[in-house]
Amino acid sequence: MSSRSAQAKTSTPRSVKDLRLGESGTICCLQDPEMALKLLEMGCIPGTQVRLNSRAPLGCPITLVVGDEDYTLSLRVSEAATILLKD
Amino acid sequence: MARATLISDPTGAAASALTLEALRDVPPRSHRELTRIALIGNPNSGKSSLFNQLTGLNQKVGNFPGVTVDRKTGISQLTAQHRAEIIDLPGTYSLYPKSLDEKVITDLLYDQASDQYPDFVVITVDASNLRRNLLLFTQLADLGLPAVLALNMMDVAEQHGVQIDIMALQQELGVPIIPMNARKGVGIAALKIVMSRQLGAPTVSFFEPSEDLLPMIRQIRYYFNLHNDYLALHYAHQFRQISFLTADDKAYIGELVEKYDFKPTPRQAQETIDRYARINDILLNTVTVVRTEKNEPYSNKLDKVLTHKVWGYLIFFGILFLMFQAVFAWASYPMELIDEGVTWINQLVQTNFDGPLVNLLTEGVLAGLGGVLIFIPQIALLFAFIAVLEETGYMARVTFMMDRIMRKFGLNGKSIVPLISGVACAVPAIMSARTIENWKDRIITIFVTPLMSCSARIPVYTVLIALVVPPQKVLGIFNLQGIALMGLYLLGFFAAIFSAWLLKLILRTQNKSYFIMEFPVYRWPRWKNVGITIVEKVKTFVFQAGKVIVAISVILWVLASYGPGNALEQAETRVRATATQQQLSAEETDIRIASEKLENSYAGLFGRTLEPAIRPLGFDWKIGIALITSFAAREVFVGTISTIYSVGQDADMRTVQQKLAAEKDDNGQPFFTPARAFSLLVFYVFAMQCMSTLAVVYRETKGWKWPLLQLLYMTGLAYVSSFVVYQLFS
C-alpha cells in the first residue's frame, strides 16, 4: 500500500485520459483555460464524478458519463487529457 | 406507458394549473401587437419539436447538435385573439458563443435597441438532464428578459426516476414553468396561454458580478444605456465579436477592460462554476432521483454493438451500401418517370406551337428544368436516409467512429456524411455539411465534396473508358474497364482528401476545432420530421439551385442557337447544297445542319477561341464546345458530343462511341488516342462543371468568395492534371 501511494506521488497527475474502461474518477481541475470554458459548460465541473464509458474503435474519441445523471459526453483524447483527476 | 403517467401525473398537471392560476392577474397582451418570442435551449432539448408544435411550419428536428443553422421564424396562434412571432434560435449550451451559429443568439440578445429584440424568451430544458440545461437558463434570466421555462421531456425524466417538485422549482427560479412533452404535444396549450400574457422580468437572479468589477460595469452601463449589470458584463467579455458596436464603442470598452485589468477567461470559468454551485443548491431542494434498479440505458447496450471495433464499421458500411443502392437503383425509376414527363411536356409544346420563343422554352428552360427536377428522387432518398440516421442519434456514432481518421486531413468526424452523399450528388451533400459546427471544418468539407465522383460523371466515364480501355480480364476475375472506372472514383476521393489536407494548412481560424459534444441517446425517428426534412430539402434545391441552372441553360441555348451575322443561315444553305449532291436522307441532313449550325454559333465560336488554351491537353474546338456546355452540368457532355459528331440527339451510347472512334485527326489517324481520352477523363474527374453545386455553395456560404475559389481551384487542378496526363501518354 505504502509503495503504491509513494509511486502515485512521484508520477504526473492522472487525467481522464488515463481512466480504464468503466472506471470512475473525480474531476480535480481543468488544465487548458480555453477548453475549460467549453468543458465547464458541458458539466465537467471540479468535484464532479466522470466514468469512462467507451472508446471509439480507433481509441479516440471517447465517451464519458458525467455526474449521476445519464448524460454522455463525447470528446477527443487530447481534450480528455486536460481534465485532471483527484487522487 | 410514459405518456399515460405524464398526463395523469398529479405534480405536472397540478403545476400547470397552478401556474395558470397565478397568472390570472397578469394582464393579457394587447391584441394588435405581434409579440416577438425567441425560443432558446440546449441542443437535443426538443426546441425544434416545440417550434414545430407552436408554428405548424415545416422545420427540421435533428437529434444532433448544430442542426439549426439559419434563424427560423414562424407565426403562432396563441389564443383566439393573440398571435406571436416565434424565432427559432440555434441550440447552445451557454450565452458565451463558441461558433458562428451561437453568435446569432448573442447578436439578438445584446442589442436592446434593435427592433428584432424579443419581448420574451421561451427556454426549453431537458427535464432528464436539468443540471446542465439550467446553466443557460440562469444566464438568460440574469439578462433580465421576461422568460418562460418549458420543462420538456418529462416522460424521459420519469423513466430515469427523476422526480421534480415543479412548484418548488418555480419558486426557486422565479419564472413560470410549464412541464411538457413537446414531441407528443403535451403541455403546448398551457404554454400558449402563458405566452399570451404580459410577463415581467424573472424575479430571481443567479449570479452577481464580483464587487471589483462593478466600477467597470457601471461605466459600460452608463455609456451604452443598458438596463442590466450582467448584460454590461457580457459587453466586456464579447465586445470584439459584437457586430453592432462601432469601432469607437469597441475602443472604449477595450480601454476599460485594460484599465480594470479584466481577464475574460478566468472570470467566465468562475462564473460557470458559481452558477453550477447555485444550480446544485436549487436541485437539492427540488429534485429527487429514485433509482429503482440499475437502469443501464438501453443506449449503452446498443452502442456496444453499433460502435464495436468490427461490427460498428460493418454495420456502417452496410448502411452505406443500402444508401447507395437506394440512390442509384431505386431512384432510377422515378428519375425515368420525371425524364419522360419532361420530354412529354416538351413534345407537347413543340407539336402545338412554333417559333423561336418555343425553342427557347423547350431547349432552354424546359431542358434546364428537367436537369434540375431529375435529381429530386435522389435528393429525397438521400435526405430520408440522413434524416433517419440523425433523428435516431446514429449519425453521432458515425462521426464518433470516423473522427480520428478524418481529423488527419483537416476534416472532422461529421465530414463523412457530405463526402458519402457526394458520390450521388454534390448538391444535397453540401447541404448536409450544415451539421458541422466548426467553421473551418465545414468550409473545407464544402470545398472538397464536389471532387467526389457524382452520378453525373458516370455517362462521361463509361463512354470514354469503353473507347480506349479494352474489355479484357485481369488476374482472371477483374475487368480492366471496371478497374479503370474504380480508379476514377478513387482518384476523386484522394483528390478530395488531399485538397482537404492542403486547405487545412492554408486556412487560419480563431475558433478551435472541438469534438466536445453531447452523445444523444437513441430515439425512434419521428416520421413526420423525416417527411418535413425531405420536403424542405427538395424545395430548397428546386427553388435555389433551379433558378441558377435554368438561367444558365437559357444563356447556353442562346449561345448555341445564334451566331454572328447570318453565319447560321449560310451554314444551313451550304449543308443543303452538299446534301442534295450526296443524296443524304432528310434525317441525315437535319443532323448535319444541326452540327454545322453549332459550329458556326456563338458557342462554336467560343470553342474555336478556346482551342489554343486546351490544345496542350489534347483537345480540339469540338471538345471545347462540350467543355463549355457541360460547365452547366456534366451530363450535357454526351449530348453535346452527339450533336457535334453528327449523331442524332437520342442515339444510344454505342453510336456515340463508334462516332468517336471514327473521328480522325488532321493526319488521318484516330483522334481519340488513349492519351486524349485519359486527359479528358481526368478533366471530368476534377473540373467544377456543375452550376447547381456552385449555386448551393453560394447559398451555404452566403457569398461568392468560396464558390469562385472552388471554381478556380477545381478547374485549375483539372487543367494541370489533364496537361500532365496528355503529355505523359502521348
Side-chain angles (χ1 to χ4, degrees):
Chain A
M1 284 299 281
S2 59
S3 69
R4 188 187 274 179
S5 61
Q7 199 183 359
K9 262 170 207 163
T10 50
S11 63
T12 49
R14 265 161 61 86
S15 73
V16 167
K17 183 186 111 194
D18 305 316
L19 287 175
R20 286 185 306 273
L21 215 59
E23 191 189 358
S24 295
T26 306
I27 297 175
C28 136
C29 37
L30 304 170
Q31 255 187 336
D32 180 315
E34 207 188 317
M35 198 104 68
L37 296 179
K38 179 77 183 165
L39 287 167
L40 285 170
E41 278 169 8
M42 301 297 281
C44 296
I45 308 291
T48 307
Q49 210 185 43
V50 291
R51 179 167 58 85
L52 180 58
N53 181 53
S54 70
R55 284 180 194 280
L58 296 170
C60 175
I62 58 172
T63 65
L64 297 177
V65 173
V66 182
D68 51 359
E69 295 169 69
D70 294 323
Y71 164 50
T72 311
L73 192 68
S74 127
L75 71 171
R76 290 173 180 162
V77 169
S78 60
E79 291 157 351
T82 70
I83 308 174
L84 302 187
L85 295 172
K86 285 181 183 161
D87 288 333
Chain B
M1 279 305 279
R3 197 180 328 166
T5 28
L6 179 60
I7 291 168
S8 64
D9 168 42
T11 336
S16 281
L18 280 169
T19 305
L20 296 180
E21 184 63 31
L23 284 167
R24 180 159 286 182
D25 300 332
V26 179
R29 291 176 181 274
S30 119
H31 299 177
R32 266 162 298 171
E33 62 180 311
L34 188 63
T35 319
R36 183 173 288 107
I37 301 170
L39 256 184
I40 305 188
N42 282 189
N44 303 318
S45 65
K47 193 171 51 62
S48 300
S49 275
L50 182 57
F51 181 70
N52 277 351
Q53 293 283 5
L54 284 174
T55 61
L57 262 188
N58 294 343
Q59 209 259 346
K60 186 178 162 152
V61 187
N63 195 3
F64 195 74
V67 167
T68 319
V69 173
D70 294 321
R71 203 177 77 186
K72 301 202 173 180
T73 58
I75 301 290
S76 178
Q77 192 77 42
L78 299 178
T79 64
Q81 298 89 12
H82 301 92
R83 273 149 43 97
E85 184 191 23
I86 315 284
I87 307 171
D88 188 29
L89 292 168
T92 186
Y93 291 102
S94 92
L95 280 187
Y96 292 100
K98 310 240 167 352
S99 71
L100 288 174
D101 285 13
E102 293 168 356
K103 229 175 99 5
V104 172
I105 296 164
T106 47
D107 275 348
L108 183 73
L109 297 184
Y110 284 173
D111 190 6
Q112 292 167 35
S114 159
D115 56 356
Q116 290 296 308
Y117 193 70
D119 294 306
F120 71 90
V121 288
V122 174
I123 303 159
T124 57
V125 163
D126 175 356
S128 69
N129 204 335
L130 259 186
R131 179 171 293 120
R132 212 212 43 235
N133 275 256
L134 282 181
L135 177 74
L136 178 68
F137 166 80
T138 65
Q139 291 179 333
L140 283 164
D142 284 344
L143 280 186
L145 267 156
V148 179
L149 189 73
L151 193 57
N152 200 12
M153 304 192 188
M154 289 297 287
D155 54 334
V156 182
E158 209 148 330
Q159 281 165 13
H160 290 201
V162 179
Q163 287 174 1
I164 304 168
D165 181 345
I166 290 169
M167 288 319 292
L169 189 64
Q170 185 159 285
Q171 201 71 36
E172 294 268 12
L173 298 183
V175 297
I177 295 179
I178 304 295
M180 58 195 313
N181 179 356
R183 279 190 151 217
K184 297 191 176 106
V186 179
I188 300 288
L191 181 66
K192 280 186 172 177
I193 294 173
V194 175
M195 286 162 81
S196 69
R197 301 280 141 160
Q198 188 91 45
L199 292 178
T203 54
V204 180
S205 82
F206 300 89
F207 169 78
E208 298 292 337
S210 153
E211 287 277 339
D212 58 317
L213 291 178
L214 288 181
M216 179 185 78
I217 286 173
R218 291 279 141 74
Q219 287 185 56
I220 295 175
R221 268 190 76 168
Y222 181 75
Y223 187 86
F224 292 99
N225 193 22
L226 302 178
H227 63 64
N228 176 292
D229 275 358
Y230 186 58
L231 183 59
L233 180 65
H234 266 270
Y235 273 50
H237 272 288
Q238 312 284 339
F239 67 96
R240 286 187 190 85
Q241 284 98 47
I242 302 178
S243 47
F244 58 84
L245 292 184
T246 65
D248 283 351
D249 292 343
K250 290 182 183 180
Y252 177 77
I253 302 178
E255 273 171 36
L256 285 178
V257 163
E258 191 111 339
K259 181 177 163 196
Y260 291 101
D261 194 26
F262 175 73
K263 299 259 189 308
T265 306
R267 293 283 180 182
Q268 192 188 326
Q270 192 56 49
E271 179 192 326
T272 310
I273 291 171
D274 290 352
R275 282 184 187 280
Y276 268 111
R278 179 74 191 274
I279 291 167
N280 277 338
D281 282 348
I282 292 171
L283 293 185
L284 212 60
N285 299 328
T286 54
V287 174
T288 43
V289 181
V290 188
R291 301 266 177 198
T292 43
E293 60 212 82
K294 184 70 199 141
N295 36 11
E296 163 96 18
Y298 62 100
S299 263
N300 271 357
K301 290 179 196 156
L302 261 178
D303 271 337
K304 292 223 163 67
V305 180
L306 292 179
T307 64
H308 185 267
K309 252 176 239 170
V310 180
W311 304 126
Y313 288 112
L314 277 182
I315 292 168
F316 174 50
F317 286 115
I319 290 172
L320 277 190
F321 178 76
L322 196 68
M323 194 164 107
F324 283 137
Q325 184 66 21
V327 168
F328 286 116
W330 306 347
S332 63
Y333 303 107
M335 286 172 87
E336 270 165 33
L337 275 182
I338 292 174
D339 205 23
E340 280 165 19
V342 173
T343 316
W344 181 76
I345 294 172
N346 227 331
Q347 279 168 347
L348 201 71
V349 175
Q350 272 173 331
T351 47
N352 289 310
F353 304 95
D354 201 23
L357 262 180
V358 174
N359 284 342
L360 174 66
L361 190 68
T362 54
E363 291 165 24
V365 179
L366 277 177
L369 211 60
V372 176
L373 296 180
I374 198 163
F375 285 117
I376 288 179
Q378 287 193 334
I379 287 179
L381 267 171
L382 255 180
F383 274 100
F385 265 90
I386 290 171
V388 169
L389 296 185
E390 270 179 9
E391 279 261 319
T392 51
Y394 179 71
M395 205 62 106
R397 273 72 183 182
V398 173
T399 66
F400 177 69
M401 288 193 291
M402 299 305 287
D403 183 64
R404 174 90 185 262
I405 304 166
M406 306 298 281
R407 215 185 319 155
K408 293 202 169 83
F409 302 101
L411 296 164
N412 181 305
K414 293 171 192 170
S415 314
I416 193 75
V417 183
L419 286 185
I420 290 163
S421 318
V423 181
C425 175
V427 172
I430 284 168
M431 293 201 283
S432 71
R434 285 188 187 182
T435 50
I436 302 170
E437 356 30 9
N438 181 270
W439 174 83
K440 183 177 170 178
D441 294 355
R442 178 161 174 245
I443 285 289
I444 295 182
T445 307
I446 289 178
F447 198 87
V448 304
T449 294
L451 286 167
M452 300 295 288
S453 278
C454 66
S455 57
R457 288 170 170 103
I458 294 174
V460 185
Y461 287 177
T462 46
V463 165
L464 289 173
I465 286 178
L467 192 65
V468 289
V469 178
Q472 55 179 245
K473 290 257 194 269
V474 185
L475 297 174
I477 40 169
F478 299 108
N479 181 309
L480 201 58
Q481 291 184 335
I483 291 175
L485 187 65
M486 188 71 197
L488 293 174
Y489 272 89
L490 286 177
L491 187 63
F493 173 72
F494 285 117
I497 291 285
F498 175 73
S499 308
W501 178 77
L502 264 185
L503 259 181
K504 172 188 146 185
L505 300 181
I506 297 166
L507 274 184
R508 292 273 167 264
T509 173
Q510 287 101 336
N511 48 6
K512 266 189 189 171
S513 167
Y514 294 109
F515 200 74
I516 306 172
M517 63 169 205
E518 189 178 345
F519 218 50
V521 290
Y522 287 108
R523 289 198 189 113
W524 202 242
R526 287 200 62 209
W527 298 109
K528 187 183 160 198
N529 288 338
V530 176
I532 287 174
T533 304
I534 296 172
V535 171
E536 253 212 355
K537 299 292 175 186
V538 168
K539 249 167 61 184
T540 320
F541 172 70
V542 170
F543 290 114
Q544 299 292 332
K547 267 189 285 190
V548 176
I549 199 165
V550 167
I552 293 297
S553 308
V554 170
I555 293 171
L556 275 178
W557 176 83
V558 170
L559 290 181
S561 309
Y562 293 91
N566 57 353
L568 296 193
E569 286 81 0
Q570 287 174 354
E572 183 169 353
T573 332
R574 259 198 325 273
V575 175
R576 286 204 187 284
T578 49
T580 35
Q581 280 176 7
Q582 295 176 354
Q583 295 178 332
L584 293 176
S585 71
E587 199 184 344
E588 280 173 313
T589 313
D590 283 347
I591 292 166
R592 185 75 65 85
I593 289 172
S595 165
E596 284 280 319
K597 273 186 166 178
L598 185 68
E599 185 175 346
N600 287 283
S601 69
Y602 288 110
L605 215 65
F606 280 125
R608 290 249 179 235
T609 319
L610 197 66
E611 202 177 48
I614 55 175
R615 197 164 271 285
L617 315 184
F619 305 157
D620 65 351
W621 70 271
K622 293 177 181 176
I623 297 179
I625 298 179
L627 289 186
I628 293 176
T629 53
S630 58
F631 253 93
R634 298 175 180 89
E635 313 88 290
V636 181
F637 173 82
V638 175
T640 312
I641 287 287
S642 315
T643 318
I644 298 171
Y645 292 124
S646 306
V647 181
Q649 285 278 1
D650 48 7
D652 67 4
M653 279 179 195
R654 200 181 299 144
T655 331
V656 181
Q657 277 159 20
Q658 283 167 354
K659 288 291 171 184
L660 291 181
E663 181 74 5
K664 297 282 188 288
D665 66 7
D666 296 340
N667 303 324
Q669 298 298 312
F671 180 78
F672 278 97
T673 57
R676 283 206 170 93
F678 283 128
S679 169
L680 196 54
L681 277 171
V682 168
F683 194 90
Y684 272 83
V685 171
F686 294 139
M688 163 60 103
Q689 293 158 300
C690 184
M691 284 299 161
S692 317
T693 305
L694 278 179
V696 87
V697 174
Y698 165 74
R699 209 187 88 82
E700 294 293 301
T701 62
K702 298 187 171 31
W704 280 111
K705 179 185 166 190
W706 288 105
L708 287 180
L709 277 176
Q710 206 169 20
L711 178 68
L712 279 177
Y713 172 74
M714 289 179 65
T715 312
L717 186 66
Y719 189 91
V720 171
S721 321
S722 278
F723 179 77
V724 170
V725 166
Y726 183 64
Q727 301 299 334
L728 277 181
F729 278 81
S730 63

